[in-house]
Amino acid sequence: GMERILSYNGTSVRDSVGKQSAFLTVNDITERKQAEAHLRELNDTLERRVLERTQALGESEMRQKRATDAAESANQSKSDFLSTMSHEIRTPLNGLLGMTELLLTERLTPQQRQYAALAHSSGKTLLALVNDLLDIGKIEAGQLDVEHIPFSLNELLSELTELYTLRAHEKSLVFSTKKAPGVPKTLLGDPGHLRQILNNLLVNALKFTPQGEIGLSVQRLSGDGHSCLLRFSVHDSGIGIAPEAQPRLFTRFTQADSSSTSQYGGSGLGLAIVKQLCEHLGGEVALTSTPGQGSVFSCDIPFTEVAQTVPVPVPVPVPVPVPVPVLSPTRILMAEDNAINQLLARAQLQQIGFVHITMVDNGQEAVNAVLAGDFDLVLMDCRMPVLDGYAATEQIRAGGSRLPIIAMTANAATAERDKCLQLGMNDYMSKPFNIATLRETLARWIP
């Protein structure tokens, strides 16, 4: 009786419970399989996304590396271009300035002398412009080296005072220099670029000051221990600068009066170079000016104060021109590939008393001449065909010769001078050079 009661449609409760258990087990397996499949799908998706992200990062790094390589390549191209242009422009300038200087030593009529003097002056103006353009290019190409050497601030200020007192006097202006108490006598920094900054500011002040005075002052703004921030100010009583023109004054090729009727001329590069050099040295530049009353340009530049007990390298004194005997026995070998510069150099050397001069056209001929000949001194151009001056010097030194070799290069960079000396050259002249520089340099090496 109980069997029938507990039966439903011929199926016992026991059977029914067993079937339900079996059904639940199948459901569990199916759900677990579905969950596992879903997890695998999520895992695959995650792995794919990680791979895609890794690839994207790799591509980004590659793009960044390519961009960095391209920037470095562009900077190197700029550097090579500047080096080439420096040589290509300075070489004819050397001929122009050298020949006009020689011409001015001849007996000329007053009118001829005036023409030659104007040509020489124009050449010097062109050289100044070329130097400015090259400086801008070096800064932008990241090729401008900052020196950290001890130097005498007092000596630098004395040099500038002597030079600009004379220049101001020529324009009937008064020039003054003021160094405030607390400004160190000796500093660690970059004297070359500091001199260039102050020169550009003083030239600018002279140019725009028809009457009155210009001055240079130095004061200490701050400093703890050895570090100090100095303010160099150049003031003038010149024409001043309109307020609306002041913001653009430090932009390249820009002047306060950019009209075609401007009476002052110039490239508009001087102040742009001041700003870039000042910032390159970790400083900043400022201007206050009133039209008709004058201007004050100031540069705040950080330096390190050098204790007076630390010896400061004494700069090599410029030798007093030594009168060379008229027919000097000194035998000079000159390696120079430019025909005009060969003619110029021979004339310059003869004018100061050197008559035993041998000319060669390239570095290989210079090496052969040194091995075969008997010379007292070599004037070596750096950029020549077949074998350049650097390689020629290395070969001469490798042969054991200690013959004085003086580099002649159209590249005026400090790095170029250092390269020449490191390769075994004894001295360095940057083209264009004048007779006085040639005489002084030779006087250091002639027995």
Side-chain angles (χ1 to χ4, degrees), residues 31-149:
E31 286 176 4
R32 190 161 55 247
K33 284 182 177 178
Q34 286 175 344
E36 287 173 355
H38 184 58
L39 280 171
R40 277 197 302 274
E41 185 180 346
L42 282 174
N43 190 46
D44 290 344
T45 302
L46 184 61
E47 285 181 355
R48 189 174 66 253
R49 286 181 177 173
V50 168
L51 182 62
E52 287 171 355
R53 181 63 178 155
T54 303
Q55 289 174 338
L57 284 170
E59 289 172 5
S60 174
E61 286 176 1
M62 285 299 293
R63 281 196 300 270
Q64 188 173 357
K65 186 178 185 305
R66 283 196 294 268
T68 302
D69 290 345
E72 288 175 357
S73 177
N75 273 349
Q76 186 58 47
S77 296
K78 270 188 178 182
S79 176
D80 294 343
F81 172 75
L82 286 168
S83 178
T84 302
M85 288 309 297
S86 176
H87 183 270
E88 294 304 319
I89 294 173
R90 285 171 176 274
T91 297
L93 265 179
N94 188 56
L96 171 67
L97 290 171
M99 288 297 187
T100 50
E101 185 187 37
L102 282 175
L103 187 59
L104 286 166
T105 65
E106 299 291 331
R107 293 180 179 177
L108 303 174
T109 66
Q111 191 175 52
Q112 288 170 337
R113 181 165 299 281
Q114 182 188 20
Y115 292 165
L118 288 172
H120 193 69
S121 175
S122 296
K124 287 196 289 186
T125 302
L126 179 57
L127 177 62
L129 174 58
V130 168
N131 288 339
D132 284 348
L133 287 168
L134 290 172
D135 283 338
I136 287 284
K138 284 174 195 168
I139 294 168
E140 290 190 346
Q143 302 294 325
L144 201 69
D145 297 325
V146 175
E147 288 189 312
H148 295 282
I149 58 173

Side-chain angles (χ1 to χ4, degrees), residues 205-226:
L206 271 177
K207 186 176 180 181
F208 295 103
T209 307
Q211 60 184 14
E213 58 144 355
I214 62 172
L216 169 62
S217 63
V218 190
Q219 64 186 106
R220 184 171 186 159
L221 297 182
S222 64
D224 52 336
H226 294 303

Side-chain angles (χ1 to χ4, degrees), residues 158-231:
S158 295
E159 289 172 19
L160 292 172
T161 301
E162 186 176 350
L163 175 61
Y164 285 95
T165 298
L166 288 172
R167 291 188 178 181
H169 181 70
E170 289 171 2
K171 287 190 68 175
S172 301
L173 302 173
V174 174
F175 179 76
S176 62
T177 308
K178 183 181 179 183
K179 181 168 169 278
V183 174
K185 294 178 181 178
T186 308
L187 299 170
L188 187 71
D190 192 327
H193 287 130
L194 174 60
R195 182 183 283 104
Q196 188 176 2
I197 287 169
L198 298 179
N199 264 320
N200 281 14
L201 289 177
L202 289 167
V203 165
N204 187 72
L206 271 177
K207 186 176 180 181
F208 295 103
T209 307
Q211 60 184 14
E213 58 144 355
I214 62 172
L216 169 62
S217 63
V218 190
Q219 64 186 106
R220 184 171 186 159
L221 297 182
S222 64
D224 52 336
H226 294 303
S227 66
C228 61
L229 182 65
L230 300 184
R231 171 167 292 174

